[in-house]
Amino acid sequence: MTSWPMITTHWLSVSLPLMVIPTIVLIIVIAVSPETFRSDWPVDIQRHMAQPTSADRRNATIAGLVFLVTLLSTMLVSAVLFALQVDSSFWLVLLSTIIACLTFLILDLVVVDWLVICWWQPKWILILGTEHCAGWNDYRFHAQVLAQPKVIGVNLLIPLIITTMVWLVVGL
């Protein structure tokens, strides 16, 4: 199988389904501990959020770690499964892992940010005291966050680190 069909098949059968898992975890984390991503909310929402208690900060740390471990482990599983295919080079695994990362970013933007937060706005997502804020309807804000150089850099660095780990273990 040539590289593009192999990458496409892997994306459809492995990466896309795996990236749904951290997307669901992210929605749960936002609902359970909005403090986890306080700095990622629009400014007007941040201003109207209550000051976090020590319990809020502790819960945010735990929830953030659960999300991060879920995201990184699903990306790692996707990369390992791709690397175990015949003739998978370092660069093909890196490309596949970048595609998995981009898949999560698109799911985050379209499903979590635009559909759940901006459009649906269920009560279990809205943070107490911020219901009136215009930021809940700011679709552009969420796209701009993903376009920041630091976000782009991190989302290229993570697949590189994961692919390097896979390369060291599997030996591409």
Side-chain angles (χ1 to χ4, degrees):
M1 191 183 305
T2 60
S3 56
W4 281 114
M6 187 169 61
I7 287 172
T8 304
T9 300
H10 180 77
W11 177 74
L12 287 171
S13 62
V14 178
S15 296
L16 180 59
L18 278 175
M19 292 305 108
V20 170
I21 297 168
T23 303
I24 292 168
V25 170
L26 179 59
I27 292 169
I28 293 168
V29 165
I30 290 169
V32 171
S33 178
E35 192 62 40
T36 304
F37 298 106
R38 181 185 198 100
S39 64
D40 295 334
W41 293 109
V43 175
D44 65 331
I45 292 174
Q46 289 181 43
R47 271 188 302 215
H48 289 93
M49 289 174 72
Q51 287 301 315
T53 64
S54 59
D56 291 336
R57 286 191 286 276
R58 183 183 66 251
N59 292 340
T61 300
I62 293 167
L65 286 172
V66 167
F67 167 70
L68 190 59
V69 167
T70 304
L71 177 61
L72 295 177
S73 62
T74 54
M75 288 179 69
L76 181 61
V77 167
S78 178
V80 167
L81 291 175
F82 187 79
L84 294 174
Q85 293 183 16
V86 179
D87 298 328
S88 292
S89 70
F90 178 88
W91 299 109
L92 281 178
V93 175
L94 178 59
L95 178 60
S96 174
T97 309
I98 289 171
I99 290 169
C101 185
L102 289 173
T103 300
F104 172 73
L105 292 175
I106 291 168
L107 287 170
D108 174 27
L109 179 65
V110 174
V111 175
V112 178
D113 295 343
W114 289 351
L115 289 177
V116 175
I117 294 173
C118 292
W119 182 73
W120 183 22
Q121 296 181 11
K123 291 188 185 301
W124 47 267
I125 287 287
L126 296 176
I127 302 164
L128 190 62
T130 68
E131 300 87 347
H132 66 282
C133 294
W136 290 112
N137 297 309
D138 194 348
Y139 291 82
R140 188 174 183 205
F141 168 82
H142 297 283
Q144 288 175 327
V145 167
L146 291 181
Q148 294 175 3
K150 69 178 180 180
V151 173
I152 293 168
V154 166
N155 285 292
L156 290 173
L157 185 62
I158 289 172
L160 180 61
I161 292 169
I162 288 174
T163 303
T164 302
M165 289 170 48
V166 171
W167 176 70
L168 291 171
V169 174
V170 176
L172 302 175

